[in-house]
Amino acid sequence: QVQLVESGGGLVQAGGSLRLSCAAPSVIFSISDMGWFRQAPGKQRELVAAITSGGGSNYADSVKGRFTISRDNTKKMVYLQMNSLKPEDTAVYYCNQVGGLSGVIPLHSWGQGTQVTVSS
């Protein structure tokens, strides 16, 4: 079973920043595309950002220009730098390996996630 461990969440005021980290020690990381997802209360989980094995990235429209996804293949880590946070960014954030025909389908069971709460 693939292990995914998210960290770095917390409580921050609107306009603030957080950096999320995800460890994926059992993923064949260097050839894997990775994604960050989030799930707000009462809403479906949604893809926030994805990064290919080659470093290409894409973002949900709601976070473009504010969030940056990155990866460190030697450490098997993926990061999400979140700036200019808004209350609507409040959610539990998860990472996962992604794939499928669309390239954004989560491939493994979810980790525990990390809570991000943005106060107004």
Side-chain angles (χ1 to χ4, degrees), residues 18-72:
L18 284 172
R19 187 190 192 213
L20 306 184
S21 299
C22 169
S26 54
V27 171
I28 306 176
F29 198 81
S30 62
I31 60 171
S32 297
D33 299 342
M34 299 294 295
W36 279 100
F37 297 77
R38 68 185 180 188
Q39 187 167 21
K43 295 188 177 181
Q44 289 191 333
R45 196 164 353 220
E46 62 173 350
L47 179 69
V48 173
I51 186 166
T52 68
S53 57
S57 59
N58 62 77
Y59 300 89
D61 288 343
S62 59
V63 306
K64 279 181 182 176
R66 300 189 298 122
F67 290 11
T68 303
I69 189 171
S70 61
R71 63 190 295 155
D72 185 331

Side-chain angles (χ1 to χ4, degrees), residues 4 8 23 34 44 47 71 74 77-78 93 104 110 112 115:
L4 299 161
M34 299 294 295
Q44 289 191 333
L47 179 69
R71 63 190 295 155
T74 59
M77 297 285 292
V78 61
Y93 285 71
V104 296
W110 299 102
Q112 83 287 352
Q115 176 70 49

Side-chain angles (χ1 to χ4, degrees), residues 12-19 38 62-68 80-90 93 116-119:
V12 64
Q13 288 189 332
S17 298
L18 284 172
R19 187 190 192 213
R38 68 185 180 188
S62 59
V63 306
K64 279 181 182 176
R66 300 189 298 122
F67 290 11
T68 303
L80 187 68
Q81 178 66 43
M82 306 187 296
N83 298 328
S84 301
L85 282 161
K86 304 176 180 180
E88 51 263 44
D89 296 318
T90 295
Y93 285 71
V116 172
T117 303
V118 184
S119 63

